[in-house]
């Protein structure tokens, strides 16, 4: 899981030109996020015309994701907030 700060760091690195594995084509990358209370949510991060958008969803809320979207984990290639 990532913290929200680590997710922000990934977006900043991707925007600076580092390929950290986030989609930049309008499709979503999903990141597992560790909440402060120890529970896990899913962050939806995507690049749109005006910049990056991010939303956080609790698991089990019934949201469906398109097949073109990516799910990222710490073991996904270059995906590291550092």
């Amino acid at each position: 899981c990532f913290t929200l700060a680590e997710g922000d760091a990934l977006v900043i690195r991707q925007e600076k030109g580092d390929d950290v594995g986030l989609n930049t084509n309008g499709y979503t990358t999903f990141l597992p996020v560790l909440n402060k209370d120890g529970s896990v949510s899913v962050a939806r991060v995507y690049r749109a015309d005006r910049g990056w958008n991010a939303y956080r969803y609790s698991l089990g809320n019934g949201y469906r994701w398109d097949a073109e979207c990516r799910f990222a984990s710490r073991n996904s290639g270059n995906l590291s907030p550092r």
Side-chain angles (χ1 to χ4, degrees), residues 9 25 27-29 39-40 42-43 61 66 72 76:
N25 57 2
Y27 288 111
T28 297
T29 301
S39 63
V40 176
V42 175
N61 70 354
D66 296 329
S76 298

Side-chain angles (χ1 to χ4, degrees), residues 47-60:
R47 179 82 166 80
D49 292 338
R50 294 186 177 189
W52 289 90
N53 295 294
Y55 302 92
R56 186 172 54 171
Y57 300 94
S58 297
L59 294 178

Side-chain angles (χ1 to χ4, degrees), residues 12-25:
I12 291 167
R13 285 186 53 210
Q14 187 76 45
E15 191 65 17
K16 287 182 178 180
D18 293 341
D19 183 6
V20 298
L22 300 179
N23 276 327
T24 57
N25 57 2

Side-chain angles (χ1 to χ4, degrees), residues 64-75:
R64 291 182 154 172
W65 300 312
D66 296 329
E68 294 85 2
C69 299
R70 288 184 190 167
F71 183 83
S73 71
R74 288 188 174 276
N75 297 329

